[in-house]
Amino acid sequence: MTEGSVALEGVTKRYGTETVVAGVSLAIAPGEFFTLLGPSGSGKTTTLSMLAGFVMADEGRVMLGGQDMTHVPPRGRGLGMVFQNYAIFPHLNVAENVAFPLTVKRAPKAEIAARVAEALEMVKLTGFETRYARQLSGGQQQRVALARAIVAHPRIVLMDEPLGALDKNLRYHMQVEIKEISRRLGMTVIYVTHDQEEALTMSDRIAIMERGRIAQMGPPREVYENPDSSFVAAFLGEANLLPARRDGQAVAGPGGARFQAGAGALASAEGLLFIRPEKVTISAAAAGEGANTLPGQVRHTSFLGNVVRYAVEVPEGAVVLCDAANGAGAVLHAPGDPVRLNWRAEDCRLLAA
Ligand code: ADP
Ligand code: MG
């Protein structure tokens, strides 16, 4: 079944002399929840707009459901859409807003009524049919936009920062809801966000964009654990990136300390040794030496409740962040304490600077 499949083949967009999307290729399977993640200006919205047909690609092809849609206008693409600034119509009430994609297609009245009721039930807005935008909270308006996007049962839905305007709790609630609805309807979702946590929790796969290109693409855990570049490492969560260079089959780090790195992890001869704070173990300095260890001194501690974050100064002035679970019997280290850090070879990688 190719109905819900999406592909971009070498898609490029230029504005004047600036190339804002540079030869992007990707293939998304029917029913997949796929996220474009990246900093502001990296080309996420432009990529989504080319899928939607609002922006024409200068080069490359846009394939939807196995068909070449590169030159088909937005109406002919049969997509559902939720955009952050694609507000609901103020002169229409909730039911009329949600019905809109069906009324423009002149669907039979009875069918429209049934579909609208179903969509409102899914976003938990049954009973709000006759309200107008000004009588709804931001979260409720966003749900109306979501109901409008799914009312025609599109196989593919595009969402551009749909939760950007909502506060943290509501955002989390809506994330769960969007995920649940997309699963229930078996829709392919292409989701845009600059929020890494949102991307990690919601996606089957994430493409991280950097200046108009896909820097890396893969399941959340894979890109988080095995970033190919310091850009991806630093964008997707906290990362320690220590000056280091290749030394035979090992890595030389701060103060000449030697590290073993995971298989295939010596991506560069000279660069940055990558290790996530939660993969670093901290212990009292007296604890034994060994592979992949660094001596240091605690500079700062942040008590985050379930986790204690240590900033530890290591040789040559570098600072390593270490997250220690505040579990039963956890021993806390205080600022000034000498400590020893260590980590497993498979958890660190030498990345190009
Ligand atoms: P993102 O959604 O990742 O923040 P955009 O796709 O909106 O990024 O923009 C990517 C780049 O393209 C930005 O530098 C932006 O200024 C530029 N850009 C977007 N739309 C236009 C336009 N219509 N004309 C000129 N430049 C544009
Ligand atoms: Mg954008």
Side-chain angles (χ1 to χ4, degrees), residues 15 18 20 39-46:
Y15 287 113
E18 202 194 349
V20 301
S40 175
S42 57
K44 306 180 298 294
T45 294
T46 306

Side-chain angles (χ1 to χ4, degrees), residues 44-45 160-161 192:
K44 306 180 298 294
T45 294
D160 193 352
E161 313 234 7
V192 164

